[in-house]
Structure formats: structure tokens, C-alpha cells
Amino acid sequence: MNPQQVAAIFKALGDENRIQILKMLLTGEKCACRLLDKLNITQPTLSHHMKILCDIRIVNGRKVGKWTYYSLNLEGVMMLRDMMQVSLADACIPENCDCNRKENV
């Protein structure tokens, strides 16, 4: 995954409404109307948030009549988990890292 893709994912996850949406989807597929009932946002705003989450492949949408039903994309969620594990594994944790010692030598 390139840095632009990683940045897009973190940007998408940097909004509290989108985090709330993801939490709601943890219990299963939801109609956009149910998401709107729980969030204090307009339908166009929800559509904007859902487009962003679908674009980063964390959420799937399927249209039924005039409503769209959203669910977590398990493959995208697993990709996010793997990305986080790699990022954290590469992180410098002061008590476990000798980078400070290298600079002082």
C-alpha cells in the first residue's frame, strides 16, 4: 500500500461521524434510514460519509428501491487491521528502540 492510500484511509477514519457509522455497522447491515435515525446529520451528509467509507473499501453498499443498505466489508476491515499491525510494528517505541542511542553515539 502506498503512502497516499494510507493517508486516504486515515483521513477517512479521522471523522467522528464515520467512526460512529462503523460502530453501528459492527452489529450488521443497516439501512441508510436507520443510520440517519441515530446520527444528527442530513441525508446528503450521510451520503458523503458513506461514499468516503465505500471508496476506501471498509464499507459495502447495496441499493434496494430508494434506500441503500450498508455493511462492513470484511476484506477491507482485515486490510485495515493488517495495515495497522505493520505500521505499529515499524513504530519506534522509546523503551524498545535503540534509535536514541544511535543518535547520541
Side-chain angles (χ1 to χ4, degrees):
M1 187 172 299
N2 70 46
Q4 290 169 325
Q5 291 169 312
V6 173
I9 290 168
F10 280 112
K11 183 176 180 181
L13 298 176
D15 182 276
E16 66 183 72
N17 284 315
R18 290 192 280 269
I19 297 299
Q20 285 183 289
I21 291 165
L22 292 174
K23 287 173 102 175
M24 285 187 261
L25 294 178
L26 284 172
T27 59
E29 183 179 69
K30 301 282 184 296
C31 176
C33 60
R34 296 290 173 236
L35 297 173
L36 280 170
D37 286 345
K38 301 289 183 183
L39 299 167
N40 191 25
I41 59 175
T42 64
Q43 187 279 324
T45 301
L46 177 65
S47 292
H48 171 75
H49 288 307
M50 299 316 294
K51 179 182 181 337
I52 290 169
L53 292 172
C54 289
D55 285 351
I56 64 165
R57 299 185 182 140
I58 300 286
V59 170
N60 292 322
R62 66 179 183 90
K63 198 120 170 101
V64 177
K66 69 175 189 167
W67 292 107
T68 303
Y69 289 79
Y70 295 100
S71 61
L72 291 178
N73 175 346
L74 189 54
E75 188 176 306
V77 171
M78 290 171 57
M79 183 236 5
L80 175 62
R81 182 202 62 194
D82 293 345
M83 182 190 75
M84 291 298 296
Q85 286 178 335
V86 168
S87 296
L88 292 174
D90 291 340
C92 176
I93 301 169
E95 60 269 10
N96 297 332
C97 183
D98 64 353
C99 62
N100 291 329
R101 283 175 253 150
K102 288 179 184 174
E103 290 177 3
N104 295 329
V105 173

